[in-house]
Amino acid sequence: MCCKFRCSFCCICLTIFAFIFMIILFMIIFFTIISPTNLKFYVTEASLTQFNLTNNNNLYYNFKVNITVRNPNKKVIVDYRGITAIAWYKDNDFAYLSLAPFDQGQKNTSFLQVQFEGNSVCSLKPKQLGEYNEETRVGIYNDLDVDLDFRIRFNYVGRYKSSRFNPPIVQCRRLRVPLISNGTLESPFSVTKCSTPYFFVDRDSGD
């Protein structure tokens, strides 16, 4: 009698474990199938018409950036509900700009035009200040970065619609940006690919 009970208990446990395993396997396959392909971001143009650092660490800037965003997915619509562009120079964030929300359809390339203009405090270390002076002499500024901080939701057409969340920050780093002098560029800008961790996850989900 005891052996029969043990066999029945083992069968029940094995059935439960097999059922749980099948559910987990189904979920992995399901999310692998519907998981959207990552977006691609490129800085296609960047230029400066002003980039003057005064003796009291006040930076006057006029910094233009054009960014393309490619959605390669056939069935995913991305709703950009909040967009903040952040400009950096040698690890100093000096400008913030909010961009207009928009919807990006399937298999679509969208264009972001960003213009940072104004002045802010930018405290460079002695080595960085030396680099700034040399870059000013040459007419090309290195170590300019642009981060894109989004709040989005996405619609997997006919299957799933997400709630709003904050994806990982897109980082467009190590930009070599020419200064426009007398209406002409000192040197052409090279198209730069941005660093984009997987975009369709909430960066705050682990908190």
Side-chain angles (χ1 to χ4, degrees), residues 15-28:
T15 301
I16 292 173
F17 284 130
F19 180 70
I20 293 173
F21 175 78
M22 291 301 295
I23 291 176
I24 294 173
L25 182 63
F26 172 78
M27 290 178 66
I28 292 173

Side-chain angles (χ1 to χ4, degrees), residues 37-199:
T37 300
N38 206 19
L39 304 186
K40 297 179 181 180
F41 293 78
Y42 292 88
V43 178
T44 54
E45 293 182 33
S47 63
L48 292 158
T49 54
Q50 185 181 30
F51 205 66
N52 299 325
L53 183 65
T54 65
N55 292 331
N56 60 351
N57 296 325
N58 208 2
L59 179 66
Y60 291 83
Y61 54 85
N62 192 333
F63 178 29
K64 296 181 181 180
V65 184
N66 290 342
I67 299 171
T68 64
V69 186
R70 177 64 181 168
N71 174 13
N73 297 283
K74 294 181 179 180
K75 295 185 178 181
V76 175
I77 298 172
V78 184
D79 300 335
Y80 300 91
R81 298 299 88 199
I83 310 171
T84 301
I86 308 162
W88 299 74
Y89 179 63
K90 298 188 185 298
D91 301 323
N92 294 274
D93 52 328
F94 65 88
Y96 290 73
L97 184 66
S98 294
L99 305 180
F102 70 98
D103 297 341
Q104 184 177 32
Q106 310 99 304
K107 303 289 287 185
N108 174 269
T109 299
S110 299
F111 304 92
L112 302 179
Q113 293 184 325
V114 185
Q115 182 171 2
F116 303 100
E117 186 174 9
N119 66 285
S120 65
V121 174
C122 183
S123 300
L124 299 181
K125 298 176 182 178
K127 181 181 178 181
Q128 294 173 332
L129 184 57
E131 292 171 348
Y132 165 81
N133 290 329
E134 177 61 18
E135 291 164 10
T136 299
R137 186 188 68 80
V138 174
I140 300 177
Y141 292 91
N142 302 315
D143 296 333
L144 276 157
D145 307 326
V146 175
D147 288 350
L148 297 172
D149 187 358
F150 294 99
R151 184 164 181 79
I152 71 165
R153 63 186 176 191
F154 68 94
N155 183 3
Y156 200 98
V157 178
R159 297 186 184 181
Y160 174 78
K161 188 171 185 177
S162 76
S163 57
R164 295 186 182 186
F165 64 95
N166 298 315
I169 291 176
V170 175
Q171 299 177 330
C172 307
R173 296 296 174 91
R174 307 284 301 174
L175 305 177
R176 298 184 73 251
V177 183
L179 179 70
I180 297 177
S181 179
N182 297 323
T184 60
L185 283 174
E186 296 292 332
S187 176
F189 174 78
S190 298
V191 174
T192 303
K193 185 178 181 180
C194 302
S195 173
T196 313
Y198 189 62
F199 198 71

